[in-house]
C-alpha cells in the first residue's frame, strides 16, 4: 500500500495538472460546436486530428516506451536520451520535408483539394509534436511532473488563446467596427475551421521551444550500437502502436467513407460522432493521467519482491475509479450533454458504449505490463493486431448499417476481445493474481445501477419536473454506489490516506 500511495501521489500531480490542461483544451469542443453549428465543419476537424493521432504513432515508432526501458537498463541515461532524440529528430525532419513537397497530392487523396494549406499546417504540427515526445518522456523518467505539466498547460493555453482570438475576438471586433482595418488584415472569414489548425501550429511551435529551454544543453548524437538494440525492442511496439491507433481512429475514417453516399452527409455524421466522442473522453482524462505516472512506476517496481501484488492492487482500484467515472457521467448526462451544441445531441447514445470501451482500454494498459516488463513485446503486437483486425471487420459490417453507432460498438467489441486475450496470455507468461471477483462485482453493480436509471425508472411520469426528479434519483443512485465502495474498501482507503 505504501507503493500504491506513491503511485496515487504522482497520479494526483499528473492527474490534476493533466486534467486541468485537458479541460482547458476540451473547453474548445463546446466553443467549436457552438461556433460551427453545421456538424460537417466539425467533421473536418475530427477527420484531420484522427490522421494526426495515426501519424504521431508512426513517427515515434515505439521509442517513448523504449526510452523508459533503456533508461532503467543503461548506466549512461544521457546517452539513451541523446540517441533517442536525435533519431526522432532526423525522421521527423524527413517527414516534414516530404509532406510539404507533396501537400497537394495528399489534399486530393483526403478529399480536401481546395485546402492544401490544411495539409501543410498539419504536417508541421505532427513533426513538431513527434519531436516533443522524447523531452516529455525525459521529464517523466526524472519524476518532474510539475515541469512536465507546466509545459503542457502552457501549450494548451496558447492554443486556447489563439482559437478564441481568431474565431471570436477578431469577428467581434470587425462586427463592432473597432479597428476594422487591422483585424480585417489578420482575419479571413473564409478560413473557417482553418483557424483551429493555425492555433495548434502556433502552440506546437511554442511547446518545442519551451522543451528545449527546460531540457538544458542538448547534444545530438547517435550511439549506433545502442540504437540498434533500441530499435529491435521498439519495432514490435511500433506494430503494437499502429494497430492500437487503428483501434482508436479507424472508426473516424469508416464513418467518413461508409456512413453516407456523399461527402457532405458523411462529414455531418463524422462531426456528430466526433463531438459526442469528446464527452466520452472524460474517462480518457483519468486514464491518460494514470498512464503518465503508472508506466515509470511499473518499470521501477519490477525487481521488488511484492511487485505483482502491487500491480494487482493498482488494477483493482483503477477499475473502481473507472466505474465511478462511468456512473457519474451517465447519471448527469442531461447536463453534461450541453458540453456540445444541441445540433450534435443526436449522437448521445454512443456515450455509454464509448465510456465502457475506454475503461477496457485502460484495463488493457494495466495488463500490458507483462510483455513490457519481460521484453516480450511481440506478444503485445499480436494482441493489438488482432484487435485492429476485429475493429476493421466490425466497422465494415456495422457502420454501413447503423452509422456511427456501429463505430461505437466496434470499439467496445474490440477492447473486450483484447482484454480477454491479454489476460489469458499474461497469466501464462507473467502470472498476476488479479482480484477478478472484486473487479467483476464493481463493474456489474455500476452497469446494473445505470440500467435501472436508464431503462427501468419512468421519469416521464414527473411531467415538467422530469429533469429535477431524474437529477435527485440519479444522485441517490450514485451516492449509494459510493457508499458501497467506501464500506467495502474502508481499510485500504484509510491506509492510503
Amino acid at each position: 500500500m505504501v507503493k500504491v500511495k506513491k503511485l496515487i501521489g504522482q497520479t494526483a500531480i499528473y492527474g490534476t495538472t493533466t486534467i486541468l490542461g485537458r479541460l482547458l483544451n476540451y473547453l474548445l469542443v463546446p466553443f467549436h460546436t457552438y461556433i460551427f453549428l453545421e456538424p460537417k465543419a466539425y467533421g473536418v476537424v475530427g477527420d484531420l486530428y484522427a490522421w494526426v493521432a495515426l501519424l504521431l504513432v508512426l513517427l515515434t515508432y515505439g521509442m517513448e516506451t523504449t526510452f523508459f526501458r533503456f533508461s532503467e537498463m543503461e548506466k549512461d541515461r544521457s546517452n539513451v536520451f541523446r540517441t533517442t532524440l536525435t533519431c526522432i529528430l532526423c525522421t521527423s525532419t524527413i517527414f516534414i520535408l516530404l509532406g510539404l513537397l507533396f501537400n497537394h497530392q495528399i489534399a486530393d487523396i483526403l478529399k480536401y483539394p481546395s485546402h492544401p494549406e490544411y495539409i501543410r499546417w498539419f504536417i508541421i504540427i505532427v513533426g513538431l509534436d513527434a519531436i516533443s515526445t522524447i523531452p516529455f518522456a525525459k521529464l517523466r523518467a526524472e519524476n518532474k511532473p510539475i515541469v512536465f505539466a507546466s509545459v503542457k498547460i502552457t501549450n494548451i493555453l496558447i492554443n486556447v488563446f489563439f482559437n478564441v482570438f481568431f474565431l471570436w475576438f477578431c469577428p467581434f471586433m470587425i462586427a463592432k467596427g473597432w479597428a476594422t482595418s487591422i483585424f480585417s488584415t489578420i482575419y479571413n472569414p473564409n478560413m473557417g475551421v482553418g483557424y483551429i489548425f493555425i492555433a495548434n501550429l502556433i502552440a506546437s511551435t511554442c511547446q518545442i521551444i519551451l522543451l528545449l529551454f527546460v531540457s538544458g544543453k542538448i547534444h545530438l548524437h547517435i550511439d549506433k550500437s545502442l540504437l540498434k538494440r533500441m530499435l529491435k525492442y521498439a519495432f514490435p511496439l511500433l506494430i503494437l502502436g499502429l494497430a492500437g491507433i487503428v483501434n482508436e481512429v479507424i472508426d473516424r475514417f469508416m464513418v467518413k467513407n461508409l456512413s453516407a453516399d456523399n461527402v457532405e452527409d458523411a462529414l455531418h455524421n463524422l462531426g456528430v460522432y466526433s463531438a459526442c466522442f469528446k464527452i466520452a473522453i472524460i474517462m480518457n482524462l483519468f486514464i491518460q493521467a494514470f498512464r503518465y505516472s503508472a508506466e515509470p512506476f511499473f518499470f521501477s517496481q519490477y525487481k521488488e519482491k511484492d511487485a505483482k501484488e502491487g500491480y494487482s492492487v493498482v488494477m483493482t482500484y483503477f477499475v473502481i475509479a473507472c466505474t465511478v467515472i462511468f456512473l457519474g457521467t451517465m447519471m448527469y448526462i442531461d447536463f453534461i450533454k450541453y458540453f456540445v451544441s444541441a445540433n450534435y445531441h443526436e449522437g448521445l447514445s454512443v456515450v455509454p458504449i464509448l465510456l465502457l470501451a475506454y475503461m477496457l482500454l485502460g484495463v488493457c494498459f494495466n495488463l500490458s505490463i507483462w510483455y513490457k516488463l519481460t521484453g516480450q513485446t511481440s506478444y503485445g503486437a499480436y494482441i493489438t493486431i488482432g484487435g485492429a483486425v476485429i475493429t476493421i471487420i466490425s466497422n465494415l459490417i456495422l457502420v454501413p448499417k447503423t452509422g456511427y453507432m456501429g463505430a461505437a460498438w466496434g470499439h467496445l467489441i474490440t477492447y473486450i476481445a483484447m482484454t480477454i486475450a491479454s489476460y489469458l496470455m499474461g497469466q501464462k507468461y507473467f502470472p498476476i493474481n488479479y482480484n477478478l471477483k472484486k473487479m467483476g462485482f464493481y463493474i456489474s453493480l455500476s452497469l446494473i445501477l445505470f440500467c435501472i436509471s436508464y431503462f427501468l425508472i419512468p421519469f416521464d411520469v414527473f411531467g415538467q419536473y422530469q429533469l429535477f426528479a431524474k437529477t435527485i434519483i440519479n444522485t441517490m443512485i450514485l451516492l449509494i454506489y459510493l457508499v458501497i465502495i467506501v464500506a467495502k474498501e474502508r481499510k485500504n482507503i484509510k491506509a492510503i490516506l
Side-chain angles (χ1 to χ4, degrees):
M1 296 309 298
V2 171
K3 293 169 184 175
V4 174
K5 180 178 179 179
K6 179 182 177 182
L7 174 60
I8 291 174
Q10 291 187 350
T11 301
I13 297 173
Y14 281 117
T16 302
T17 51
T18 299
I19 291 174
L20 175 62
R22 291 290 181 116
L23 283 176
L24 288 173
N25 207 14
Y26 287 132
L27 285 177
L28 291 175
V29 176
F31 180 68
H32 291 154
T33 59
Y34 281 93
I35 284 181
F36 301 109
L37 296 177
E38 286 291 329
K40 64 181 180 181
Y42 197 69
V44 176
V45 178
D47 181 35
L48 290 178
Y49 275 107
W51 280 106
V52 168
L54 179 64
L55 290 170
L56 271 176
V57 172
L58 185 63
L59 285 177
T60 53
Y61 43 92
M63 292 298 278
E64 184 181 15
T65 300
T66 302
F67 171 78
F68 285 122
R69 172 73 172 179
F70 280 78
S71 292
E72 292 292 331
M73 292 172 54
E74 300 291 318
K75 292 182 179 180
D76 189 354
R77 291 189 175 188
S78 60
N79 187 40
V80 176
F81 174 68
R82 287 194 300 268
T83 299
T84 310
L85 179 62
T86 306
C87 188
I88 293 288
L89 179 63
C90 292
T91 52
S92 297
T93 302
I94 293 170
F95 168 79
I96 292 173
L97 293 176
L98 290 175
L100 294 177
L101 182 63
F102 296 105
N103 68 92
H104 287 279
Q105 292 86 339
I106 298 171
D108 291 339
I109 293 171
L110 298 183
K111 300 179 182 179
Y112 302 113
S114 58
H115 292 288
E117 70 276 10
Y118 291 176
I119 306 304
R120 291 193 291 270
W121 297 333
F122 268 100
I123 290 295
I124 299 172
I125 289 169
V126 172
L128 292 178
D129 286 353
I131 296 168
S132 298
T133 57
I134 304 307
F136 273 131
K138 181 173 182 285
L139 291 174
R140 288 166 59 195
E142 294 174 348
N143 289 319
K144 295 180 178 179
I146 302 299
V147 179
F148 175 94
S150 298
V151 177
K152 283 281 187 181
I153 291 177
T154 301
N155 167 271
I156 292 166
L157 288 174
I158 293 170
N159 188 32
V160 170
F161 172 81
F162 281 104
N163 267 273
V164 174
F165 177 77
F166 287 124
L167 296 176
W168 176 79
F169 186 71
C170 287
F172 175 81
M173 295 295 284
I174 292 172
K176 292 294 184 180
W178 298 336
T180 304
S181 59
I182 297 174
F183 289 100
S184 294
T185 303
I186 298 172
Y187 177 75
N188 178 3
N190 296 322
M191 186 70 71
V193 295
Y195 281 120
I196 297 176
F197 312 144
I198 292 174
N200 194 343
L201 177 59
I202 295 171
S204 292
T205 303
C206 293
Q207 176 177 267
I208 197 71
I209 293 171
L210 281 173
L211 283 171
L212 291 174
F213 176 76
V214 300
S215 296
K217 195 172 182 179
I218 296 175
H219 298 282
L220 298 179
H221 170 74
I222 291 181
D223 183 328
K224 293 181 180 179
S225 175
L226 174 63
L227 180 61
K228 184 177 179 180
R229 289 186 288 123
M230 292 180 74
L231 290 176
K232 183 178 180 180
Y233 179 85
F235 181 72
L237 292 177
L238 168 61
I239 305 302
L240 186 154
L242 285 174
I245 205 63
V246 164
N247 292 335
E248 280 293 295
V249 303
I250 195 67
D251 56 335
R252 260 53 69 86
F253 305 144
M254 294 289 191
V255 171
K256 179 185 174 183
N257 293 286
L258 298 177
S259 67
D261 295 329
N262 60 77
V263 176
E264 295 290 315
D265 289 343
L267 284 175
H268 171 90
N269 292 338
L270 180 56
V272 170
Y273 180 63
S274 297
C276 292
F277 206 101
K278 295 293 185 180
I279 297 176
I281 285 180
I282 291 172
M283 181 74 75
N284 200 36
L285 285 173
F286 168 71
I287 294 172
Q288 189 68 28
F290 174 81
R291 178 179 175 273
Y292 282 142
S293 53
E295 194 164 43
F297 172 84
F298 289 152
F299 280 113
S300 65
Q301 295 299 312
Y302 178 44
K303 296 179 181 179
E304 299 292 330
K305 292 181 180 179
D306 57 350
K308 290 185 178 182
E309 182 182 350
Y311 298 152
S312 175
V313 173
V314 168
M315 172 72 92
T316 300
Y317 286 97
F318 173 83
V319 169
I320 292 173
C322 285
T323 59
V324 172
I325 294 169
F326 167 77
L327 199 59
T329 302
M330 295 315 302
M331 291 301 98
Y332 298 107
I333 192 64
D334 289 309
F335 300 100
I336 295 173
K337 68 181 182 181
Y338 292 105
F339 185 69
V340 299
S341 167
N343 291 12
Y344 298 80
H345 288 178
E346 64 183 82
L348 287 173
S349 53
V350 305
V351 174
I353 301 169
L354 292 172
L355 284 171
L356 292 173
Y358 267 123
M359 179 172 68
L360 290 175
L361 173 63
V363 171
C364 284
F365 168 75
N366 275 274
L367 292 172
S368 70
I369 60 171
W370 73 265
Y371 58 77
K372 290 180 180 179
L373 293 174
T374 59
Q376 301 182 78
T377 51
S378 57
Y379 286 104
Y382 300 150
I383 293 169
T384 313
I385 290 170
V389 171
I390 295 171
T391 298
I392 293 170
I393 293 173
S394 60
N395 274 268
L396 286 172
I397 294 172
L398 297 174
V399 172
K401 296 179 180 179
T402 60
Y404 48 71
M405 281 299 297
W409 280 110
H411 266 292
L412 184 57
I413 292 168
T414 296
Y415 289 126
I416 289 173
M418 289 177 60
T419 299
I420 294 171
S422 187
Y423 173 77
L424 293 176
M425 294 180 71
Q427 291 306 298
K428 180 179 180 180
Y429 294 102
F430 191 74
I432 296 174
N433 187 25
Y434 291 114
N435 196 332
L436 299 181
K437 184 178 179 180
K438 181 180 286 191
M439 290 187 289
F441 168 78
Y442 285 114
I443 292 173
S444 300
L445 181 59
S446 63
L447 287 174
I448 290 169
L449 293 174
F450 162 68
C451 290
I452 289 172
S453 170
Y454 200 78
F455 297 109
L456 299 182
I457 301 178
F459 290 110
D460 55 340
V461 301
F462 294 100
Q464 62 180 327
Y465 301 105
Q466 178 178 337
L467 180 60
F468 176 77
K470 191 173 184 179
T471 302
I472 296 298
I473 294 172
N474 283 349
T475 299
M476 291 175 62
I477 289 173
L478 182 60
L479 287 175
I480 289 170
Y481 186 62
L482 293 175
V483 168
I484 291 172
I485 292 173
V486 172
K488 290 180 68 66
E489 308 298 328
R490 61 184 181 275
K491 290 183 179 180
N492 286 333
I493 292 173
K494 183 178 179 180
I496 291 170
L497 293 177

